[in-house]
Amino acid sequence: MTALQHVKLGTYYMVHLPEADDFDFWRERARALVQCDVPPDRVAWVEPGGSGDLFAHGERRMPVPPIDAKPVRANRRFVSLARNAILHSDPERFALLYRLLWRLQSNPRMMEDKADPDVRRVEELDKNVRRDSHKMHAFVRFRLVESEDEEVSEHYVAWFEPEHHILRANAGFFMRRFSNMRWSILTPRGSLHWDTETMSEGPPAERHDAPGGDPMEDLWRTYYASIFNPARLKIGAMLKEMPKKYWKNMPEAALIPDLIAGAQGREAKMVEKGALEFEERPDTLAAIDKAIHGCRKCPIGQLDNHAVMGEGPQDAALMIVGEQPGDQEDQTGRPFVGPAGQLLDAHLEKVGIDRRAAYVTNAVKHFKYVQRGKRRLHQNPGAKEIDTCRWWIESERAIVKPKLVLAMGASAARGMLGKTVSISKVRGAPIPLEDGSELWVTAHPSYLLRLDGPAREEQARLFDADLAAVRARLEELA
Amino acid sequence: MAAQTVLQKLEILADAAKYDASCASSGTAKKNSLGGKGIGSTEGMGICHAYAPDGRCISLLKILLTNHCVFDCHYCVNRKSSNVARARFTPQEVVDLTLAFYRRNYIEGLFLSSGIVKSSNHTMEQIVEVARILREEHDFRGYIHLKTIPEADPEIVHQAGLYADRVSINVELPTDSGLTRLAPDKDARQIEGAMGKVKADLVEAKDARKRFRHAPRFAPAGQSTQMIVGADAATDADIVGKASRLYDNFRLRRVYYSAFSPIPDASAVLPLKRPPLIREHRLYQSDWLMRFYGYKPTDVMQATEADGNLPLDIDPKLAWALKFREAFPVDVNRASKEQLLRVPGLGVKAVGKILASRRHRALRLDDVALLTQSITKVRPFIVTVDWRPITLTDRADLRSLLAPKSEQLELFAA
């Protein structure tokens, strides 16, 4: 083939590219054409498999630039865009890039003009290609092929369908990431094989050339389904980033329709098992009294019992909190009237605290018991039951606004603090509460009832000491 | 009870981890497996390998080592008093799962957190052990994000930073009183103290690398934190203020917001309605305004309504513009970058394009339309060669003109 010595006016040129993604070939030809001053409308670019109908009669021999031709100018921005844009599947990309290169010679800063249609188009191509590459990095799914040959290491094979000619350009990414793994990526446009040392290219493949599954995919699907939070269904956001066209090659995508369909039910279940919907906080003690009688928010409320409301002056400086009503309290509807209440009264009197001036109530409003024959045996409330009932004790506190709260026993302390504390560690010193008041913790009088001998004496002494400290503190606060 | 299979454990421990918002795998040091013995690379940009129907990116294997926990935080599904199913992975099981998923290109790496078992130190050691096996025995060079436990010994936390790309400590709630009430076992001072220690380690490691090329890296993707929105009474203004203090004091890469989500077997101390998901979105938008648009926390706070919360029907940038109409219209052919960034509807990219293009042509409205997503949103606030909004910025009903017309109904409005 002899090259033309100089350009004939009006000649149409036709350039056949050896590969759809061959940037260097395009650049070399484009440079020569620009140097020969061939305008963009006189060049047709044909990629493998493409047709050159438009200029079927075009000149296939390239012009030779004159020796004194000016060097072709292209800035870095153009070159980086062109390298990517050439990978696009749009057959017009070569012509577009040539037109831009041609125009750049007279307007070197043209790439800055973002409102120019050619600049906009090349940026769009670049963006599409970058997105396709990014999705390839993300959505390729390797499957392990069991090898018959013991000598050969595990082989991982993926089937992927890129939209653009990006396979070769992304070989490096997978090589750097999986450099010590034998892998192949098969696509309809060609394939890549890495054997931990060298990369080789192969012909276009078909889906059935790749393995149909991998035992690990069950675990992956389990993970995908479990990490999804049904309370936050946002299908649009998912589709935007993971369009349906990719789904067929992603093992987890088969779960999506069922996950969406089940989400509403799953969330309803979560809510039902979860957060309790309380009404507005009652703002009078009478309203609390009424509301707790209807409260069935925990299993204790379902038993055959009555709610027991706190009692005492609404402006009491001291609030005494016990655990829960017992058998006698349940029957009379008043707090601390049973054996533990009588013991409490005795100790209060001894240290000089007037029970009638205090607001006396319980952390849990209903009596929890198990039926043994005719007797109802006391049961400790569970942490969750105390937490549920905390709503009511907080409502009482918000109305009475005591300066000092005395919590007796671990359950009462949890009702105030939200956490379980050890009585022996926290007794004897004030714990500040959010509203500026203070909490003192001591043992529950029923604990004393269960002891006898020296142990009881010792505990009674500690109990009195706590009560005396509370009394002293109340006098300070008054 | 029969021993749980890895699949059963994964189901429980991934489910337990899903309330953590972060899944980022970006912004770490570049590394790859060339010349190594294992696999893995990080090349700057994070990769989302899948998206769940909640629209969230799945980039990392995000699991707990165990969901047994001695703490009793009321918003947390794994708290001691909750009766959810419990499971526990061995460090080796997590390592195997991470590598098997990574080899198949499902993930960028691992995000490991844990309930507190035995002691904070023991738990932190177990977490670090997973990272150690991955890095040292398998030469794994993918991304690792470790959640650190504020109560743990700083020496163990430091070790975590040497293996991980990112470490994080959750501040959990925007106010101290919220923390006392809802996370009674945690201590705000201790959390901030631990964040301060991580910051010091980050600074020191960076400084060392300037002088010694082979000084060990410490969490090259920095530290982040998470705040739960809507579980206490904090307003958006409180939250924005807290976030900006955290950014300033601890050089955080990100503050994540997680709208309080109904959890199974919730504690009764949360007698709360679920906050609308859009609130979380508005907070993220305000976060963006502060990180990329040059807004000060006070600017964002000025955009809040009387109750201290950002409006839900319009984005915070538009809310600010409607309050400060005297700052508009802005001439796209003359205005500074800072002024353009304040125009509702103009993003960072669009502003960049406007600045580049206006050197070549006097921009007309049609030109601006080509450079932006929606010209109708932008039009009331700009001046071009052929356009000037005459009375629009004075109109009282401008907000209703610009607010999205048909409100997308929340699927499961609480």
Side-chain angles (χ1 to χ4, degrees):
Chain A
M1 193 192 286
T2 56
L4 292 183
Q5 281 307 306
H6 47 80
V7 187
K8 279 186 243 145
L9 268 177
T11 305
Y12 289 92
Y13 291 92
M14 190 148 86
V15 185
H16 284 264
L17 291 115
E19 299 279 359
D21 59 352
D22 197 337
F23 174 75
D24 292 333
F25 185 90
W26 174 87
R27 177 161 65 178
E28 189 201 315
R29 294 296 188 274
R31 240 184 222 153
L33 289 163
V34 167
Q35 287 187 317
C36 296
D37 210 20
V38 179
D41 58 354
R42 301 261 164 196
V43 190
W45 301 84
V46 185
E47 60 186 307
S51 66
D53 278 355
L54 188 59
F55 293 170
H57 56 287
E59 177 58 66
R60 285 159 186 259
R61 286 172 298 179
M62 287 294 293
V64 173
I67 294 163
D68 59 347
K70 277 198 289 183
V72 177
R73 296 195 294 189
N75 57 19
R76 202 178 291 166
R77 172 76 181 149
F78 171 79
V79 176
S80 80
L81 281 175
R83 270 186 196 284
N84 253 339
I86 213 139
L87 309 179
H88 203 277
S89 54
D90 180 0
E92 294 299 315
R93 63 193 182 280
F94 306 105
L96 169 73
L97 290 172
Y98 185 66
R99 193 162 60 242
L100 276 164
L101 184 64
W102 172 267
R103 294 178 59 202
L104 269 173
Q105 305 313 306
S106 55
N107 181 4
R109 305 192 64 177
M110 192 186 72
M111 298 309 291
E112 291 171 5
D113 186 0
K114 308 292 178 188
D116 180 276
D118 283 343
V119 174
R120 279 167 50 76
R121 178 65 186 155
V122 75
E123 291 197 332
E124 197 183 330
L125 296 185
D126 166 68
K127 192 173 158 193
N128 292 343
V129 167
R130 274 190 290 127
R131 183 176 158 94
D132 202 32
S133 293
H134 189 67
K135 294 302 177 196
M136 181 178 177
H137 299 169
F139 297 154
V140 157
R141 294 285 181 266
F142 285 114
R143 285 169 166 168
L144 180 60
V145 182
E146 299 298 340
S147 169
E148 303 93 59
D149 187 351
E150 296 279 318
E151 299 288 298
V152 180
S153 57
E154 299 171 321
H155 187 199
Y156 290 86
V157 181
W159 166 253
F160 190 70
E161 295 169 70
E163 206 172 318
H164 305 293
H165 305 279
I166 57 166
L167 181 65
R168 201 174 284 133
N170 286 296
F173 172 84
F174 289 97
M175 179 190 74
R176 291 188 297 276
R177 172 157 291 200
F178 302 110
S179 66
N180 294 296
M181 195 171 105
R182 206 157 70 88
W183 54 263
S184 300
I185 299 176
L186 313 180
T187 84
R189 298 179 196 272
S191 42
L192 287 175
H193 308 280
W194 172 256
D195 67 356
T196 73
E197 276 166 13
T198 48
M199 186 79 70
S200 54
E201 288 182 21
E206 287 180 45
R207 182 192 304 271
H208 61 75
D209 296 330
D214 183 309
M216 213 19 103
E217 287 174 2
D218 277 341
L219 279 167
W220 173 239
R221 275 189 288 263
T222 300
Y223 177 69
Y224 182 78
S226 305
I227 203 71
F228 159 57
N229 186 350
R232 312 175 47 119
L233 202 58
K234 278 187 186 169
I235 301 166
M238 169 186 67
L239 286 173
K240 187 163 164 267
E241 295 300 336
M242 197 171 80
K244 279 190 176 161
K245 66 178 179 189
Y246 294 109
W247 290 17
K248 57 180 183 290
N249 296 323
M250 301 173 72
E252 65 275 25
L255 300 177
I256 295 171
D258 283 349
L259 287 178
I260 294 172
Q264 196 153 11
R266 273 177 71 188
E267 196 211 3
K269 231 159 107 192
M270 264 163 76
V271 174
E272 193 188 312
K273 283 166 75 180
L276 298 162
E277 290 290 326
F278 279 82
E279 319 66 40
E280 289 288 296
R281 245 181 219 289
D283 50 10
T284 65
L285 292 174
I288 298 174
D289 193 3
K290 188 161 174 265
I292 58 172
H293 279 85
C295 182
R296 302 285 178 268
K297 288 181 169 69
C298 79
I300 309 179
Q302 320 276 352
L303 297 171
D304 182 17
N305 53 18
H306 307 95
V308 176
M309 181 62 187
E311 63 178 29
Q314 194 175 318
D315 56 355
L318 170 66
M319 181 184 263
I320 301 177
V321 185
E323 180 192 65
Q324 63 170 351
D327 186 63
Q328 291 191 29
E329 285 82 4
D330 183 54
Q331 286 171 24
T332 57
R334 294 186 54 213
F336 281 105
V337 292
Q342 286 156 21
L343 185 65
L344 172 67
D345 288 347
H347 283 275
L348 287 176
E349 206 182 321
K350 191 170 160 197
V351 299
I353 294 175
D354 181 6
R355 173 171 166 173
R356 285 162 306 173
Y359 185 89
V360 181
T361 189
N362 282 300
V364 171
K365 299 299 174 209
H366 283 93
F367 176 35
K368 184 178 179 183
Y369 63 88
V370 280
Q371 194 79 42
R372 286 278 180 274
K374 284 186 178 170
R375 290 177 63 201
R376 299 192 295 175
L377 289 184
H378 166 272
Q379 293 273 293
N380 287 327
K384 182 157 188 199
E385 290 155 347
I386 299 169
D387 292 346
T388 306
C389 228
R390 200 172 157 194
W391 176 253
W392 302 122
I393 186 91
E394 281 184 345
S395 302
E396 284 177 283
R397 251 179 74 206
I399 295 163
V400 178
K401 297 191 184 68
K403 288 178 183 151
L404 193 154
V405 180
L406 174 65
M408 301 189 301
S411 297
R414 186 178 174 98
M416 305 311 297
L417 292 169
K419 63 177 170 184
T420 303
V421 292
S422 149
I423 304 286
S424 60
K425 281 185 191 149
V426 297
R427 76 190 311 169
I431 300 168
L433 294 173
E434 293 158 51
D435 62 355
S437 62
E438 57 190 55
L439 173 71
W440 290 67
V441 177
T442 187
H444 195 278
S446 65
Y447 174 57
L448 274 59
L449 286 177
R450 292 198 299 274
L451 302 169
D452 49 25
R456 172 147 182 184
E457 275 169 34
E458 169 65 7
Q459 283 301 320
R461 192 185 59 76
L462 286 171
F463 190 61
D464 284 341
D466 286 341
L467 292 183
V470 163
R471 194 196 145 176
R473 182 68 182 139
L474 272 173
E475 277 163 8
E476 275 174 43
L477 291 170
Chain B
M1 196 180 72
Q4 288 167 322
T5 62
V6 169
L7 191 128
Q8 288 166 328
K9 292 184 190 179
L10 178 64
E11 193 168 3
I12 294 168
L13 294 171
D15 190 87
K18 72 184 169 205
Y19 306 98
D20 241 311
S22 161
C23 200
S25 56
S26 54
T28 189
K30 283 192 180 189
K31 52 185 183 285
N32 64 53
S33 54
L34 292 175
K37 293 195 294 285
I39 50 169
S41 62
T42 48
E43 306 199 342
M45 207 183 343
I47 298 173
C48 294
H49 285 269
Y51 290 82
D54 51 20
R56 292 203 288 191
C57 153
I58 299 176
S59 181
L60 304 170
L61 171 61
K62 181 162 60 176
I63 48 174
L64 301 189
L65 196 55
T66 174
N67 65 341
H68 289 279
C69 192
V70 299
F71 280 9
D72 213 355
C73 307
H74 294 278
Y75 50 82
C76 180
V77 65
N78 303 315
R79 68 182 188 286
K80 189 167 70 177
S81 58
S82 158
N83 57 11
V84 292
R86 306 279 175 172
R88 182 170 185 174
F89 274 130
T90 63
Q92 191 59 47
E93 282 170 332
V94 175
V95 167
D96 292 343
L97 210 48
T98 307
L99 291 173
F101 279 10
Y102 199 92
R103 284 195 194 103
R104 288 160 182 81
N105 203 39
Y106 300 160
I107 51 169
E108 285 296 287
L110 175 68
F111 179 173
L112 189 62
S113 180
S114 182
I116 315 283
V117 276
K118 287 189 194 164
S119 69
S120 298
N121 279 350
H122 172 78
T123 309
M124 197 64 230
E125 278 164 5
Q126 294 281 297
I127 290 175
V128 172
E129 175 64 4
V130 172
R132 188 198 64 78
I133 301 176
L134 278 170
R135 292 284 197 236
E136 290 186 356
E137 293 180 17
H138 298 275
D139 196 14
F140 176 69
R141 300 184 186 180
Y143 193 94
I144 298 180
H145 178 163
L146 299 180
K147 181 127 295 170
T148 57
I149 298 165
E151 295 79 14
D153 187 343
E155 199 38 54
I156 314 175
V157 175
H158 180 80
Q159 200 61 35
L162 293 178
Y163 292 124
D165 292 277
R166 171 171 283 182
V167 292
S168 62
I169 300 166
N170 286 357
V171 295
E172 310 292 9
L173 291 155
T175 60
D176 288 1
S177 62
L179 194 74
T180 317
R181 180 173 160 72
L182 298 176
D185 300 307
K186 298 201 179 191
D187 175 359
R189 297 284 79 73
Q190 197 159 27
I191 292 173
E192 299 207 349
M195 288 167 91
K197 174 76 177 67
V198 170
K199 179 199 163 186
D201 285 347
L202 285 166
V203 171
E204 192 187 313
K206 229 175 195 158
D207 187 52
R209 274 188 77 84
K210 274 186 206 147
R211 283 175 289 141
F212 311 106
R213 203 158 59 86
H214 294 290
R217 288 183 192 277
F218 183 88
Q223 68 168 330
S224 64
T225 191
Q226 172 170 307
M227 246 189 267
I228 296 160
V229 174
D232 62 1
T235 64
D236 290 348
D238 296 336
I239 294 170
V240 167
K242 172 89 178 183
S244 92
R245 276 196 305 282
L246 291 173
Y247 276 123
D248 290 349
N249 294 346
F250 305 113
R251 276 218 230 154
L252 294 178
R253 287 290 181 91
R254 279 295 294 279
V255 174
Y256 289 94
Y257 299 112
S258 175
F260 166 70
S261 154
I263 50 171
D265 201 38
S267 158
V269 188
L270 292 168
L272 297 145
K273 292 228 166 93
R274 182 154 82 85
L277 285 182
I278 190 79
R279 183 172 172 203
E280 179 189 296
H281 183 61
R282 296 293 180 231
L283 283 167
Y284 275 123
Q285 286 177 321
S286 71
D287 192 50
W288 248 246
L289 291 182
M290 290 190 288
R291 290 165 62 213
F292 305 113
Y293 288 78
Y295 284 66
K296 302 245 163 10
T298 45
D299 293 331
V300 176
M301 288 175 198
Q302 282 167 337
T304 60
E305 300 193 317
D307 63 357
N309 286 325
L310 293 165
L312 295 176
D313 59 336
I314 54 172
D315 64 77
K317 197 176 177 191
L318 179 57
W320 187 88
L322 291 175
K323 273 197 177 172
F324 297 91
R325 296 189 190 193
E326 65 278 9
F328 302 97
V330 163
D331 185 341
V332 294
N333 286 300
R334 285 191 182 78
S336 67
K337 184 177 175 188
E338 290 67 36
Q339 286 173 304
L340 287 170
L341 283 171
R342 298 253 163 173
V343 175
L346 288 187
V348 175
K349 274 192 187 162
V351 168
K353 287 180 184 175
I354 287 173
L355 292 172
S357 303
R358 73 184 188 186
R359 276 184 239 139
H360 296 268
R361 56 179 78 205
L363 294 172
R364 310 174 71 81
L365 198 60
D366 285 347
D367 297 324
V368 179
L370 289 175
L371 304 176
T372 57
Q373 296 277 335
S374 155
I375 190 67
T376 36
K377 218 184 156 189
V378 178
R379 202 162 46 192
F381 300 99
I382 58 166
V383 171
T384 65
V385 180
D386 59 343
W387 165 263
R388 174 172 287 276
I390 300 166
T391 53
L392 211 47
T393 40
D394 298 330
R395 282 179 66 156
D397 60 349
L398 185 56
R399 176 175 175 144
S400 59
L401 284 176
L402 292 169
K405 286 290 171 289
S406 59
E407 195 186 328
Q408 162 93 52
L409 286 175
E410 244 205 283
L411 268 168
F412 309 116

